[in-house]
Amino acid sequence: MRALAALKALPGRRAAAGPVALARIGVGLAAILGAVELSSELSRLHQPGVLRLPRSDLIPILPTSGAAVFLGIWLLAAIAFVAGWKTRAAGAVLVGIFGYVLLLDHQLYSNHLYLMMILTALLTLARSGAVLS
């Protein structure tokens, strides 16, 4: 009975912000590495002879000239997320970027990108920029 009462009180209880901030920093660093890893994959989609498997015709493909801008925005948002500067805005941008990449092409899907999207969304909602920023 005590365990059930403690479980019911859990959503209203305040938790320490330090571990959440460390998770934010870790996920942000992983997002930076994800941008570096995916940079070659995005440019490869435009090469002749590469089979494209778009998830939907409604999702516009990123032009070759826009890939550098897209990756730059990704890196800036990830750096802001790590630093804890405008965490909610940076997290929202990162979640949008991750979602776009996951919906862009079947060949770009990766489990860690999907996990980073979920973790970034949760850390953004948890106000993870309150400490260590």
Side-chain angles (χ1 to χ4, degrees), residues 81-106:
F81 198 72
V82 168
W85 184 70
K86 305 281 186 186
T87 310
R88 290 202 176 210
V93 169
L94 280 174
V95 169
I97 286 172
F98 295 151
Y100 174 74
V101 170
L102 288 171
L103 291 175
L104 183 61
D105 198 272
H106 282 282

Side-chain angles (χ1 to χ4, degrees), residues 70-120:
F70 180 76
L71 290 170
I73 292 171
W74 184 342
L75 285 172
L76 288 176
I79 289 169
F81 198 72
V82 168
W85 184 70
K86 305 281 186 186
T87 310
R88 290 202 176 210
V93 169
L94 280 174
V95 169
I97 286 172
F98 295 151
Y100 174 74
V101 170
L102 288 171
L103 291 175
L104 183 61
D105 198 272
H106 282 282
Q107 297 182 51
L108 296 178
Y109 177 81
S110 63
N111 291 334
H112 64 277
L113 192 63
Y114 183 67
L115 179 63
M116 278 194 299
M117 183 177 78
I118 292 172
L119 289 175
T120 304

Side-chain angles (χ1 to χ4, degrees), residues 16-77:
V20 178
L22 288 176
R24 180 200 78 225
I25 292 168
V27 170
L29 291 174
I32 291 170
L33 292 175
V36 171
E37 174 194 357
L38 215 65
S39 63
S40 63
E41 299 295 323
L42 283 175
S43 63
R44 198 172 57 150
L45 283 178
H46 292 287
Q47 293 177 354
V50 172
L51 177 64
R52 291 216 48 249
L53 299 170
R55 291 189 181 268
S56 171
D57 292 334
L58 300 175
I59 306 294
I61 186 159
L62 192 64
T64 307
S65 60
V69 174
F70 180 76
L71 290 170
I73 292 171
W74 184 342
L75 285 172
L76 288 176

